[in-house]
């Protein structure tokens, strides 16, 4: 039986339960015209029989503490197939088939580890079954889509309904917060946020741009995602001990999670 990731709980209740460290961004939006419009729109779609994903649209905020942020990866909107979206950009629940964009992301992680000479001797290649990115979120990687809900089989169906005002505010908040962070901007939609990040970041952040990891664009010039080196570049810039363990489930001798920089 597949994962049931349909939105069932009232969006207002989910917004009210946002962790305290994100509350100063989320609650003003919740009461704003954009927030009220979005909540009414989602409720109307549900009342009309639409299937909306995911069941936890704000999960990225629940898993990643604001004070511990190291990296922000921006997606566009959630996967629109049953059982896929789980409130983390690009991630799918354990056991769910890995979508093509995520497959390219995991392949890039594995290729960068090999290029750095840090792959385990005799280890099998990364398997596409490992598509749940919660381990990244736990390490301070904010996996944030710009739109947080979608309808079954209808990509971008909740775009321009009010979510963007919230996610822009979240991006602006983390760009304004103290400390340097890495922003991975894959594709034109994510790269459009670069001026906002730069304006508020005071030059203290690293912005890494590449094409979207979708097979339609991952190898195209001028900024192919394949071979972009973003995961190594992020860790080199962050430095120890802030670097991120990107290999999912990789355990080198001694039992510690593999790190490469």
């Amino acid at each position: 039986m597949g994962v049931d990731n349909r939105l069932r709980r009232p969006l207002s209740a989910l917004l009210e339960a946002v962790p305290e460290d994100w509350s100063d961004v989320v609650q003003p939006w919740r009461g704003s015209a954009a927030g009220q419009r979005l909540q009414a729109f989602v409720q109307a779609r549900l009342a009309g029989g639409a299937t909306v994903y995911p069941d936890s649209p704000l999960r990225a905020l629940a898993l990643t503490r604001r004070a511990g942020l190291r990296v922000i990866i921006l997606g566009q909107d959630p996967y629109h197939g049953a059982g896929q979206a789980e409130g983390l950009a690009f991630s799918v629940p354990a056991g769910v088939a890995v979508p093509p964009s995520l497959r390219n992301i995991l392949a890039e992680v594995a290729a960068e580890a090999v290029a750095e000479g840090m792959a385990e001797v005799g280890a099998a290649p990364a398997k596409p079954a490992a598509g749940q990115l919660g381990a990244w979120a736990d390490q301070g990687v904010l996996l944030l889509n710009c739109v947080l809900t979608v309808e079954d089989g209808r990509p971008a169906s909740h775009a321009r309904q009010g979510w963007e005002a919230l996610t822009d505010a979240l991006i602006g908040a983390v760009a304004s917060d103290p400390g340097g962070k890495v922003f991975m901007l894959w594709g034109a939609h994510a790269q459009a946020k670069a001026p906002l990040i730069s304006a508020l970041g005071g030059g203290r952040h690293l912005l890494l741009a590449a094409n979207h990891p979708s097979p339609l664009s991952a190898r195209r010039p001028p900024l192919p995602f394949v071979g972009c080196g973003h995961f190594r570049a992020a860790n080199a810039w962050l430095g120890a001990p802030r670097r991120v363990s990107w290999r999912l489930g990789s355990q080198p001798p001694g039992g510690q999670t593999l790190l490469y920089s």
Side-chain angles (χ1 to χ4, degrees):
M1 188 174 183
V3 176
D4 185 355
N5 66 329
R6 292 173 293 171
L7 179 64
R8 294 178 179 275
R9 292 168 289 178
L11 190 55
S12 58
L14 296 174
L15 291 166
E16 188 174 359
V18 164
E20 186 177 352
D21 53 346
W22 296 106
S23 181
D24 68 325
V25 181
V26 173
Q27 300 312 327
W29 170 85
R30 181 185 171 203
S32 71
Q36 293 293 311
R37 183 174 73 251
L38 184 280
Q39 292 174 75
F41 169 78
V42 172
Q43 182 58 40
R45 296 302 299 143
L46 289 170
T51 298
V52 177
Y53 306 127
D55 61 339
S56 299
L58 299 157
R59 190 170 180 222
L61 304 184
L63 291 188
T64 305
R65 298 299 302 270
R66 184 171 169 183
L69 269 183
R70 311 180 197 186
V71 179
I72 297 88
I73 296 178
L74 295 178
Q76 189 162 347
D77 72 334
Y79 297 121
H80 54 86
Q84 292 181 309
E86 61 169 358
L88 301 174
F90 295 105
S91 182
V92 292
V96 172
V98 175
S101 293
L102 179 54
R103 192 177 303 125
N104 280 339
I105 292 169
L106 298 179
E108 178 63 24
V109 169
E112 290 184 30
V114 170
E116 193 70 9
M118 294 295 290
E120 305 95 319
V121 175
K127 295 181 180 180
Q132 210 289 321
L133 305 181
W136 293 2
D138 290 342
Q139 296 177 76
V141 179
L142 183 65
L143 298 160
L144 182 69
N145 280 317
C146 294
V147 173
L148 301 185
T149 52
V150 72
E151 293 178 24
D152 182 60
R154 299 182 61 211
S157 51
H158 288 196
R160 297 177 296 279
Q161 297 294 336
W163 278 127
E164 293 90 343
L166 172 61
T167 54
D168 278 358
L170 290 166
I171 293 165
V174 299
S176 300
D177 284 345
K181 303 168 188 70
V182 179
F183 288 81
M184 295 186 180
L185 307 177
W186 302 333
H189 195 87
Q191 289 162 22
K193 309 299 181 183
L196 171 64
I197 297 163
S198 297
L200 297 174
R204 63 181 174 273
H205 305 307
L206 175 65
L207 276 60
L208 298 173
N211 289 353
H212 194 277
S214 163
L216 297 175
S217 58
R219 296 182 181 274
R220 290 183 178 177
L223 296 171
F225 176 81
V226 175
C228 66
H230 282 186
F231 301 99
R232 281 188 293 162
N235 275 354
W237 189 84
L238 289 167
R242 296 185 69 217
R243 59 186 183 173
V244 175
S245 175
W246 296 109
R247 292 292 298 274
L248 299 174
S250 297
Q251 293 292 327
Q256 295 182 344
T257 305
L258 175 67
L259 293 172
Y260 63 91
S261 60

